[in-house]
Amino acid sequence: MGRRLPIRDAYTVKTLLNDLKKLKLTPNVLYTIGTEVVYFEWQEATKSLGDNDPVTIHLGELLNFMRSDYERRLLAGDLRREKDTPSATINMFLKDTPVEFQSYALIRSGEFISGVLRAAQVVNTREIERYERMEKQLSAQLKEKPDDPETWNQHRLVLWILGRYDEASSAFKRAKKLGWDRKKTRTVAT
């Protein structure tokens, strides 16, 4: 799943994010890379540049997106259009950041970061296979109970993670039409 990752001696924020876009980003993979790569870089930037430096601030925003905001927004139904995909969100995020942030050289070695990304790619492939099985199960459940808004919402989440954004958007509309409400949902994680 996903495209081949280049081998790099060193990373900048921009090269890390561009490599991330080559993966099918599940919430778990984003969380892992945020925790294992971005958290360390944010801590180091805080020590060397200070809390108020733009690089530190943007690394903090990126960390929050990767560790919780993406999954929270996905579960809440805030992410449901093609322009909301992880890659599109990363592109918008990068576009809104200064060049000094984008070109900030990460402290961890290219070898370490590449290792984390390659491990994430392996986990990612397994997760996508699991989501494909879940999608088949949910499709079968929807044939039996086509008016269940929770199942439509769960189907939306799985389709989204599989990169089937148009279908996910349609499933979301169907869930809403049938009465799905983010405040009353039983779905807490995928």
Side-chain angles (χ1 to χ4, degrees):
M1 279 292 129
R3 294 174 268 170
R4 188 171 171 83
L5 294 169
I7 296 171
R8 300 185 191 277
D9 294 331
Y11 280 84
T12 63
V13 169
K14 188 171 186 172
T15 56
L16 172 66
L17 295 181
N18 283 335
D19 284 0
L20 266 183
K21 292 187 296 185
K22 294 177 177 144
L23 303 173
K24 262 194 178 171
L25 295 171
T26 63
N28 185 43
V29 166
L30 273 175
Y31 179 85
T32 299
I33 294 168
T35 299
E36 294 190 22
V37 176
V38 178
Y39 179 71
F40 175 82
E41 300 297 336
W42 171 74
Q43 280 187 313
E44 293 301 308
T46 300
K47 289 179 206 169
S48 63
L49 303 172
D51 290 337
N52 297 322
D53 188 87
V55 169
T56 306
I57 291 167
H58 291 304
L59 279 171
E61 290 170 1
L62 179 60
L63 180 62
N64 287 336
F65 170 75
M66 295 174 82
R67 293 207 319 187
S68 62
D69 290 351
Y70 177 71
E71 185 173 30
R72 183 183 45 73
R73 291 180 64 208
L74 181 60
L75 288 171
D78 294 338
L79 304 176
R80 59 183 177 273
R81 299 169 306 244
E82 188 117 16
K83 70 177 189 169
D84 299 328
T85 66
S87 291
T89 303
I90 288 169
N91 284 339
M92 284 189 334
F93 176 74
L94 269 175
K95 197 170 82 174
D96 292 341
T97 59
V99 174
E100 67 179 341
F101 171 71
Q102 295 176 27
S103 61
Y104 178 74
L106 302 182
I107 294 169
R108 284 263 168 89
S109 71
E111 184 180 354
F112 175 84
I113 295 171
S114 287
V116 171
L117 291 174
R118 289 186 199 309
Q121 193 171 34
V122 170
V123 169
N124 194 19
T125 300
R126 288 188 198 124
E127 282 188 346
I128 294 300
E129 289 168 357
R130 184 173 60 93
Y131 282 112
E132 286 169 348
R133 288 190 302 273
M134 288 173 67
E135 193 280 327
K136 286 182 175 82
Q137 293 169 346
L138 289 165
S139 289
Q141 288 176 19
L142 287 169
K143 285 180 181 161
E144 291 175 25
K145 293 183 178 182
D147 296 330
D148 182 3
E150 280 296 324
T151 305
W152 277 106
N153 182 54
Q154 291 169 9
H155 197 228
R156 166 191 68 92
L157 293 167
V158 169
L159 289 168
W160 183 269
I161 290 168
L162 291 173
R164 294 164 54 185
Y165 304 116
D166 288 341
E167 292 174 75
S169 182
S170 295
F172 180 76
K173 289 175 188 166
R174 184 76 186 262
K176 289 291 282 182
K177 184 178 178 184
L178 293 170
W180 179 79
D181 181 348
R182 75 174 74 189
K183 293 179 182 118
K184 297 177 185 173
T185 188
R186 296 184 312 264
T187 305
V188 292
T190 56

